[in-house]
Amino acid sequence: MEMRRIDPVNCSVARALSVVGERWSLLIVREALDGARRFGEFHSRLGIARNLLATRLETLVTAGVMRRVPYQEPGDRQRFAYELTEQGRALRPTLVALLEWGDTYLADPQGPSVIVRHRPVDEGSSCDEPVKVVLECAAGHSHLAPEDVCRTPGPGARLVESS
Amino acid sequence: MEMRRIDPVNCSVARALSVVGERWSLLIVREALDGARRFGEFHSRLGIARNLLATRLETLVTAGVMRRVPYQEPGDRQRFAYELTEQGRALRPTLVALLEWGDTYLADPQGPSVIVRHRPVDEGSSCDEPVKVVLECAAGHSHLAPEDVCRTPGPGARLVESS
DNA sequence: TTAGTGAGTTTAATTCTTCAACTCAGGGGG
DNA sequence: CCCCCTGAGTTGAAGAATTAAACTCACTAA
C-alpha cells in the first residue's frame, strides 16, 4: 500500500543537523553560551584539536551561528574573538533539551553536573529556579508528553511515495 | 585570574552527544518517532548506507534508545524490527527544538516542511494546534528567553581550573 | 529449480579527526 | 638588536569514520 509521506531529507531537522550536527559544533556553541569567546578558551575547555576548532568556528561563522569580532587587549595586537549571533543563542533550548535527556538517562551517579537556572542577565539573581524544557501547543496545553505530539506536513513539505 | 568552572567534559550534553551525536543517529530516532520500525524503512526513508544503518541501530540498541523486537509477517520468516524505548521517545523535545531552530533560521522559502501538532495517540484529533518547545523554570516563569538562563554547577559537577 | 525479498556483511575508495610540528605577528628582557 | 614567549592559527601525516557497491543468507513463491 503506497502512501505519501513527508520527505525526510527536506526537513528542518536535517538542515539544522547539517549546520550543528558535526562533532564538536554543539559543544562549541555550549561553551560560547557559557561565556567562551576566544580561540584558546574553546581549545582548552574542550580539548578539541586546533585545526578542527578553526574549521568548526569558520563553519559556524559562515552558517550565521557565530560572528568573528576583532578585539585588542591593551598592549597587545589585534586578535579575533567569536561570539554567538542571535541565531546561535537560539540553540539554547536544543542544548537544554539534550542536557535534560543526558541527565535523565546517562547521568553521573553523583547527580547532574550542570543545572540550568532562571537568572536574567540584567536583574541580579531574581529567581534562580532550575529550568526545564517543555512542549506546549498554541492552545496553551503545556507539558505535553512525547506521545501527545505528531509530525504533520507543513506548507514547504515535499511529499514522497513510500511503502 | 584563575577561576573554577564546570568541567566541560563531565557534562550530560557531552554524554548525550556521545550517544546521539553521531551522524544519522538523531535522524534515525526522528524516523522512529514518525513510525519507522524496519531496517528497510529506515534505509529507504533516509538513504543511509546499509552498513552504517546496521551499526547505528546496534549502537542505539545498546545505548537503550531503541529495542530490537522480533516480528513475523504471515507466510514469511521471522525478522527484527526496531522500536524506541521510553528513553528514545524522550528525545522528542530535543528534536522539536532542532526542528524549530531549523525552521526559524534555515527554512525552505516555502515555509516549514513539518509542523508538530498536539495530537494525543488515544483521543482522535482533539487539539491539533502546533507545538513549540519553551523554557520554563520551577517557579512557573515560562517562555524564558535564551539570555534569561545560565548554567550553574550541580551535585555531580567536577570543577576544573581555568583562566 | 529458479527467481525474489528483506536484512544485513564485506570491501575498497573517500572523507574526517587527531596529533604534532610549524608559522606568524607582536611583546618583553637583556 | 637578539632571543624567547604567547595567542592564534596552518600544514602534514597517521588513524578512524563514512560511503557506495557488491555480496551473503534465510526463507518464500512460482
Side-chain angles (χ1 to χ4, degrees):
Chain A
M1 145 225 182
E2 285 282 308
M3 60 178 294
R4 291 167 70 72
R5 69 171 73 253
I6 300 166
D7 179 0
V9 175
N10 171 251
C11 162
S12 290
V13 173
R15 273 197 294 271
L17 287 174
S18 74
V19 172
V20 295
E22 293 171 301
R23 224 181 293 276
W24 298 109
S25 298
L26 278 176
L27 294 176
I28 290 170
V29 171
R30 185 197 61 182
E31 291 307 318
L33 280 169
D34 199 35
R37 292 173 41 80
R38 288 142 71 138
F39 189 89
E41 282 180 301
F42 291 105
H43 172 60
S44 62
R45 290 197 196 185
L46 293 173
I48 178 177
R50 285 203 192 74
N51 54 351
L52 246 202
L53 175 57
T55 62
R56 281 294 173 277
L57 287 171
E58 199 190 329
T59 303
L60 291 171
V61 167
T62 58
V65 173
M66 301 190 86
R67 181 189 299 127
R68 192 161 183 261
V69 297
Y71 74 93
Q72 187 157 26
E73 303 245 314
D76 204 352
R77 71 178 163 126
Q78 188 187 59
R79 297 178 190 281
F80 290 92
Y82 299 86
E83 60 184 39
L84 292 170
T85 59
E86 186 236 330
Q87 176 177 351
R89 287 191 299 275
L91 283 164
R92 177 76 83 173
T94 300
L95 283 164
V96 174
L98 269 174
L99 175 69
E100 240 175 81
W101 187 81
D103 278 347
T104 307
Y105 298 103
L106 311 168
D108 199 280
Q110 306 264 286
S113 64
V114 176
I115 292 176
V116 177
R117 290 180 185 283
H118 180 195
R119 185 178 296 176
V121 278
D122 44 350
E123 310 164 48
S125 53
S126 56
C127 175
D128 242 30
E129 289 295 317
V131 169
K132 291 213 170 301
V133 67
V134 305
L135 296 177
E136 179 179 298
C137 82
H141 302 120
S142 195
H143 301 83
L144 305 181
E147 294 78 15
D148 291 344
V149 306
C150 76
R151 288 157 30 102
T152 63
R158 303 176 187 355
L159 295 180
V160 292
E161 302 301 328
S162 147
S163 59
Chain B
M1 145 226 185
E2 285 281 309
M3 61 179 295
R4 290 165 71 72
R5 68 171 74 253
I6 301 165
D7 179 1
V9 174
N10 172 252
C11 161
S12 290
V13 173
R15 274 198 293 271
L17 288 173
S18 75
V19 172
V20 296
E22 293 172 300
R23 223 181 294 277
W24 297 110
S25 298
L26 278 176
L27 294 176
I28 290 170
V29 171
R30 184 197 63 182
E31 292 307 318
L33 280 169
D34 199 36
R37 291 172 42 80
R38 289 143 70 141
F39 189 91
E41 283 180 301
F42 292 105
H43 172 59
S44 60
R45 290 197 195 187
L46 294 173
I48 178 177
R50 284 202 191 71
N51 54 351
L52 249 201
L53 175 57
T55 62
R56 282 295 173 276
L57 287 171
E58 200 190 330
T59 303
L60 291 171
V61 167
T62 58
V65 173
M66 302 190 86
R67 181 189 300 127
R68 193 163 182 261
V69 296
Y71 74 94
Q72 187 156 26
E73 303 246 314
D76 203 352
R77 70 175 164 128
Q78 182 184 325
R79 297 177 189 282
F80 291 93
Y82 299 86
E83 60 185 38
L84 291 170
T85 59
E86 186 236 329
Q87 177 178 349
R89 286 190 299 275
L91 283 165
R92 175 76 82 173
T94 300
L95 284 163
V96 174
L98 270 174
L99 175 69
E100 239 176 82
W101 187 80
D103 277 347
T104 307
Y105 298 103
L106 310 167
D108 199 280
Q110 306 264 285
S113 63
V114 176
I115 293 174
V116 178
R117 291 180 186 283
H118 180 196
R119 185 178 296 176
V121 279
D122 44 349
E123 311 163 47
S125 53
S126 55
C127 175
D128 242 30
E129 290 295 318
V131 169
K132 292 212 170 302
V133 68
V134 305
L135 296 177
E136 179 179 298
C137 83
H141 302 120
S142 195
H143 301 84
L144 305 181
E147 293 77 16
D148 291 344
V149 306
C150 77
R151 288 157 31 103
T152 63
R158 304 176 186 356
L159 295 180
V160 292
E161 301 301 327
S162 147
S163 58

